[in-house]
């Protein structure tokens, strides 16, 4: 039977996505066996990320300044916006080195059954960007599952009014899959073979 402190730590690790009871227990015991300095560094890193990281005022990506590195990069094509569900999707797309446009982060996807409607997503600022910026193409890079496809269709309807070319990632990413779990070659191919909606 673990002590109260250890039990609390296991419970906190167990709250992380994909971490079951066994993994949470293993992580807690690992922390217990680390030096006090290592544990302190870990705790400081957790606090620092909460204190310093915020959303880019343009695209909604995580950054530590008002505008993220991608939005402030003049070498990128600011006429193409790739719309993704989460910031972690940007990291995955960037690894391909194929895409040189900018991004827009929705912070989720439409899921009415769980109460996630358009008002809960970062859609309003996307529409504002389309009205202010000279955008030539929107790439819808939502995940190929029911919620992701529903989100893409909803956005396509909104964006069509602006007369902007709308594309989405091509096949290669299986239906029901996530960008997070796709390899770089598959994502590169999906970017190259994107189709107009």
């Amino acid at each position: 039977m673990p002590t109260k402190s250890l039990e609390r730590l296991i419970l906190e690790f167990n709250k992380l996505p994909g971490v079951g009871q066994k993994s949470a227990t293993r992580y807690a015991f690992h922390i217990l066996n680390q030096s006090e300095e290592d544990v302190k560094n870990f705790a400081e890193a957790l606090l620092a990320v909460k204190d310093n990281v915020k959303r880019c005022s343009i695209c909604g990506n995580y950054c530590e300044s008002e505008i993220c590195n991608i939005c402030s990069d003049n070498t990128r094509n600011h006429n193409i916006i790739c719309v993704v569900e989460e910031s972690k999707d940007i990291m995955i797309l960037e690894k391909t080195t194929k895409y040189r446009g900018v991004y827009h982060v929705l912070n989720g996807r439409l899921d009415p059954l769980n109460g996630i409607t358009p008002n809960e997503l970062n859609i309003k600022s996307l529409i504002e960007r389309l009205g202010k910026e000279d955008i030539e193409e929107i790439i819808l890079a939502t995940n190929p599952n029911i919620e992701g496809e529903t989100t893409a269709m909803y956005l396509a309807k909104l964006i069509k009014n602006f007369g902007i070319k709308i594309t989405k990632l091509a096949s290669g990413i299986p239906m029901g899959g996530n960008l997070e779990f796709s390899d770089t070659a598959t994502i590169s191919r999906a970017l190259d073979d994107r189709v107009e909606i």
Side-chain angles (χ1 to χ4, degrees):
M1 182 91 178
T3 67
K4 283 187 177 180
S5 298
L6 196 52
E7 200 170 274
R8 179 181 174 201
L9 185 58
I10 291 168
L11 185 67
E12 292 304 317
F13 277 125
N14 197 206
K15 291 178 183 176
L16 296 172
V19 177
Q21 187 69 29
K22 285 183 182 178
S23 293
T25 303
R26 198 167 55 249
Y27 295 161
F29 275 97
H30 177 76
I31 293 289
L32 196 60
N33 291 320
Q34 283 191 302
S35 70
E36 189 171 328
E37 185 181 343
D38 285 344
V39 173
K40 185 179 178 186
N41 288 338
F42 182 66
E44 287 173 356
L46 289 173
L47 293 171
V49 81
K50 286 304 286 181
D51 289 341
N52 301 328
V53 177
K54 54 189 166 192
R55 296 277 184 185
C56 172
S57 62
I58 297 173
C59 71
N61 189 14
Y62 287 119
C63 60
E64 292 193 20
S65 54
E66 183 68 23
I67 298 171
C68 73
N69 293 340
I70 294 172
C71 286
S72 61
D73 186 347
N74 291 328
T75 66
R76 297 188 79 104
N77 184 348
H78 289 259
N79 302 115
I80 301 174
I81 298 176
C82 182
V83 179
V84 295
E85 292 178 15
E86 304 288 347
S87 289
K88 62 186 173 189
D89 298 331
I90 292 176
M91 292 172 56
I92 295 155
L93 288 163
E94 284 296 292
K95 282 183 186 176
T96 69
T97 67
K98 287 271 186 184
Y99 180 67
R100 294 297 300 157
V102 292
Y103 295 93
H104 191 85
V105 182
L106 295 173
N107 300 324
R109 59 186 177 224
L110 291 176
D111 190 358
L113 295 175
N114 290 310
I116 302 173
T117 64
N119 293 336
E120 277 72 50
L121 300 180
N122 189 23
I123 294 174
K124 183 180 176 190
S125 65
L126 173 63
I127 301 305
E128 288 171 2
R129 285 178 79 180
L130 300 182
K132 290 189 287 189
E133 299 174 27
D134 184 24
I135 307 301
E136 297 169 1
E137 180 183 0
I138 293 286
I139 302 169
L140 299 175
T142 55
N143 284 306
N145 53 32
I146 292 170
E147 294 85 3
E149 291 295 317
T150 302
T151 305
M153 287 190 300
Y154 177 81
L155 291 173
K157 283 183 184 176
L158 288 178
I159 297 166
K160 276 193 191 283
N161 298 331
F162 290 89
I164 297 169
K165 179 180 178 183
I166 305 166
T167 60
K168 68 178 196 169
L169 297 183
S171 60
I173 300 173
M175 186 64 171
N178 285 317
L179 287 175
E180 182 179 4
F181 303 115
S182 299
D183 61 272
T184 306
T186 302
I187 295 171
S188 292
R189 179 73 188 260
L191 273 169
D192 286 341
D193 298 340
R194 64 186 183 270
V195 292
E196 193 164 353
I197 299 178

